[in-house]
């Protein structure tokens, strides 16, 4: 399991855990902002976006342009062969 940093807030931990779980379940595909919002109970897309940028600045994810361009720092995703 991924160990969360003590300096993070609850929202970033929730989002990071959801992103990791989503990517594992979907062969590395990233969730949309709306999916993150619905799954974590964060009602504002701007709060989701803010926390994704915060996680990126902390070096815990790499957050590119577009809603489905999130990679977890240090993770490598491979498609299941069967």
């Amino acid at each position: 399991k991924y160990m969360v940093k003590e300096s993070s807030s609850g929202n970033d931990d929730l989002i990071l855990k959801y992103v990791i779980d989503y990517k594992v379940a979907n062969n590395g595909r990233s969730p949309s902002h709306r999916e993150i919002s619905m799954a974590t109970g964060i009602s504002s897309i701007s709060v989701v976006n803010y926390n994704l940028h915060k996680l990126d600045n902390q070096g815990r994810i790499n957050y590119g342009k577009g809603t489905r361009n999130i990679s977890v720092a240090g993770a490598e995703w491979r498609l299941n062969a069967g």
Side-chain angles (χ1 to χ4, degrees):
K1 290 284 181 178
Y2 186 87
M3 296 298 292
V4 295
K5 295 182 180 179
E6 291 180 33
S7 62
S8 63
S9 74
N11 280 349
D12 6 342
D13 289 345
L14 266 173
I15 289 171
L16 182 59
K17 182 178 181 338
Y18 177 71
V19 167
I20 291 169
D21 291 346
Y22 186 98
K23 290 176 85 66
V24 168
N26 293 280
N27 290 319
R29 184 171 176 248
S30 297
S32 69
H33 289 87
R34 175 75 53 204
E35 289 168 326
I36 294 169
S37 172
M38 291 172 50
T40 59
I42 300 169
S43 60
S44 170
I45 299 300
S46 64
V47 172
V48 170
N49 191 49
Y50 168 81
N51 281 281
L52 287 170
H53 281 288
K54 186 175 174 184
L55 287 164
D56 186 41
N57 289 336
Q58 293 171 347
R60 298 167 77 191
I61 66 169
N62 297 309
Y63 179 48
K65 291 184 179 182
T67 61
R68 294 189 184 267
N69 194 4
I70 304 167
S71 59
V72 178
E76 186 175 318
W77 307 102
R78 296 188 181 126
L79 292 175
N80 293 331

